Amino acid sequence: MVTNREVDAFRAKYRETQIGPNYRGWAHFAFTSCASLSVIAFAISRVHHVAPLEWLTIPVAFLLANGAEYFGHKGPMHRPRKGLGLIYQRHTREHHHFFTHDAMAYDSSRDFKMVLFPPVMLFFFLGAIATPIAVLLFLVATANIAWLFVAVAMSYFLTYEWFHFSYHLSEDSILGRNPVARALRRHHQAHHDKSLMGKYNFNITFPICDWLFGTTHSK
């Protein structure tokens, strides 16, 4: 079992070697939030006169995003894949050593770097995943479906960031005391147990795929 002393030592070394003096956690959080909300707002502004069937884009895109979250977390974030080693390194080797099931809360805003995705991931998600799929939907379906997909995809990305951020708040914070947030936090906290992290609780937001695939573990 990793002791708090070991966690403290890892955190101290990580802060010294990986978090630059100019890093500002709240600026990181604000950029992720504002950039994502801007894309979502723009996508919604392009949606007009939605046909009944086009509204199905919302639940379908949501479920696809939940599956992508699940398999991305279960796969390259916890199992080394050729060309994706940095993802495994940052998540399994760093995030899971910085935060353990009995040391979930960050100490200061400088620790946000170990909670939030790097800003470049927002551009990667938007440019390499959401945009190509949206272009395909423009070509084979309708503009409304394409823009709704972008809105849902970016909303899910931001929900992931906000939920994950809340799980690493102190338990006695306002969100930490909220019953729903507390239940989701426990789901994620169990995943941070090193004996469980490679097998259970891969959904960060809504544990739908964990339930479907039988990978839910309660502690």
Side-chain angles (χ1 to χ4, degrees), residues 105-106 165-179 181-182 185:
Y106 56 75
F165 181 85
S166 74
Y167 302 155
H168 292 287
L169 290 168
S170 171
E171 286 189 79
D172 60 4
S173 65
I174 294 175
L175 275 176
R177 295 194 301 269
N178 178 275
R182 189 164 61 244
R185 185 183 192 275

Side-chain angles (χ1 to χ4, degrees), residues 97-160:
H97 284 78
F98 201 100
F99 298 107
T100 66
H101 67 288
D102 55 0
M104 285 286 286
Y106 56 75
D107 293 325
S108 74
S109 61
R110 285 180 56 76
D111 294 344
F112 291 3
K113 185 173 183 179
M114 201 67 265
V115 180
L116 300 168
F117 279 129
V120 69
M121 284 299 296
L122 188 151
F123 296 108
F124 172 79
F125 183 79
L126 178 61
I129 300 177
T131 297
I133 295 175
V135 169
L136 179 63
L137 291 174
F138 268 112
L139 296 174
V140 303
T142 68
N144 277 342
I145 288 176
W147 286 117
L148 284 171
F149 173 82
V150 172
V152 173
M154 291 308 301
S155 296
Y156 201 99
F157 175 87
L158 186 57
T159 299
Y160 179 106

